[in-house]
Amino acid sequence: MESDRTSEPDRTSPATTRRVFLVAGGTAVSAMLVGTAPAGAAEGPDRAAEGPDGAGALTADQTAAVLAVARIGAVYPVPFPDYGEPAPATARATEHRLRAAAAKPDAARLALVRTAADDLVARGAHRKSGAALLADLGAGAADATRRKPLTALTALAVATVSRHFDPGSDEAADGWLGMLARLHRNGIRPTVRG
């Protein structure tokens, strides 16, 4: 009598491996995001929005690139936590909030953000969304020459959707980009549902 193998999933199939990888990655990134939000981080008005760096820091295309990353980061691989802020994270990916966050980093950090934004604009990524944008970000994250500027841009995007994050800190951005880089290196194209 032959054993019935249909009752157990094939753990080596690409679909199962990908599913396990994405669930584990999503769980790890979510845990990291919850762990990196500073306890009692100050909430308040966008006092830095009027600063010279915040208001004129980015061109319209650069702003579009950062906001595209903020919007996709707000939903992938799992919805971004609200940390008590009003509205879902996607609704907080606004130019006003970006300008406030962009006023905080120093000039060298903003130069990295501009470099990454210009790179995304040159590749047309600022006009993409969903899986196409994630694939571009994964390729950039896997490229050592593009990673540092992309990390600075992603940190600014994270700080745009949550005031609890410092746009000068790479921790959350590195975790998210590291996951996208691993997907890229393994030939897995991310998918976005909903």
Side-chain angles (χ1 to χ4, degrees):
M1 183 170 179
E2 292 182 33
S3 66
D4 182 17
R5 294 184 157 221
T6 59
S7 62
E8 289 185 33
D10 180 3
R11 300 203 186 279
T12 61
S13 79
T16 301
T17 303
R18 180 175 181 220
R19 190 175 314 117
V20 168
F21 181 79
L22 289 174
V23 168
T27 303
V29 169
S30 295
M32 181 203 58
L33 287 173
V34 170
T36 59
E43 290 186 44
D46 294 334
R47 70 186 195 301
E50 293 80 32
D53 287 338
L58 303 172
T59 67
D61 281 345
Q62 291 169 341
T63 296
V66 177
L67 290 177
V69 173
R71 282 189 295 273
I72 195 67
V75 297
Y76 187 84
V78 294
F80 195 89
D82 67 11
Y83 295 116
E85 292 190 59
T90 52
R92 297 191 310 262
T94 66
E95 188 172 341
H96 176 74
R97 287 179 66 116
L98 171 57
R99 286 179 183 218
K104 296 174 185 177
D106 62 25
R109 181 75 172 190
L110 280 176
L112 289 172
V113 170
R114 286 187 202 98
T115 297
D118 288 342
D119 179 59
L120 291 175
V121 168
R123 296 167 191 278
H126 68 304
R127 300 191 192 286
K128 295 179 183 175
S129 62
L133 177 57
L134 287 168
D136 282 355
L137 294 172
D143 181 340
T145 61
R146 295 173 60 201
R147 179 67 181 256
K148 186 174 180 176
L150 188 56
T151 300
L153 182 146
T154 303
L156 181 57
V158 170
T160 298
V161 297
S162 179
R163 291 183 183 117
H164 294 271
F165 287 86
D166 176 3
S169 172
D170 292 343
E171 191 173 2
D174 269 338
W176 191 69
L177 290 172
M179 175 191 61
L180 292 177
R182 283 187 296 282
L183 290 172
H184 176 77
R185 286 188 200 108
N186 289 313
I188 300 171
R189 186 171 174 98
T191 57
V192 180
R193 293 196 168 104

